[in-house]
Amino acid sequence: MSAAATDPDCLFCRIVAGEIPAEVVAETDTSLAFRDVSPQAPTHVLVVPRRHVADAGELADVSPTELAEVTLLARTVAQQEGLDGDYRLVFNTGPGAGQSVFHAHLHLLGGRAMKWPPG
Ligand code: DGP
C-alpha cells in the first residue's frame, strides 16, 4: 500500500470516509478532528491525517507538512473549545505505549488539570 492510500479495514479511514459516524469538530483538506468515543477529559478530540499512515513517525516521514497541519488543527480546536492555551497533545506510538488504532492520531486533551508524568 502506498503511504497515501486508504485502508478499507482501518477504523479511522472509515471515519474519514464518512462510513462510520463521528462527531466532527473541525477539518481541513488533509486532516479531520472528531471527538473521542471514550473521552478521558472534558475535551478529548482526535486529529487524524486523511491519508492512512500507521503512526506519527511515519506521517513525519511521508509528509512533514501534514504532520504540522494535524498539530495546527489541534490548536484551532483547542481555541474553539476555549482551552485558553492549556491543553495536552499526545501521539501514542506502538501497542506498548497504548496505541490501539494504527492510523496516526493526535489526542487533544483539555478542560481539567493534567498530571506529569502521564501514566
Ligand atoms: P490510541 O489508544 O492512542 O490508539 O487511541 C485510540 C482512541 O480512539 C481511543 O482513545 C478511543 C478512540 N476510538 C476508538 N474507536 C473509536 C470510534 O469508533 N470512534 C471514535 N470517535 N473514537 C474511537
Side-chain angles (χ1 to χ4, degrees), residues 84-106:
D84 198 27
D86 292 321
Y87 55 90
R88 181 167 289 170
L89 300 179
V90 177
F91 282 112
N92 293 325
T93 302
Q99 187 177 6
S100 60
V101 179
F102 293 88
H103 178 130
H105 52 282
L106 180 57

Side-chain angles (χ1 to χ4, degrees), residues 11-12 15 20-22 34-38 44 46 92 98-101 105 107:
L11 173 64
F12 289 171
I15 287 176
I20 293 176
F34 53 92
R35 295 199 191 279
D36 194 294
V37 77
S38 178
H44 188 173
L46 302 173
N92 293 325
Q99 187 177 6
S100 60
V101 179
H105 52 282
H107 292 260

Side-chain angles (χ1 to χ4, degrees), residues 47 70-80 87 89 106 108:
V47 187
V70 163
T71 308
L72 288 168
L73 189 57
R75 183 178 69 174
T76 297
V77 173
Q79 290 166 342
Q80 282 178 196
Y87 55 90
L89 300 179
L106 180 57
L108 163 63

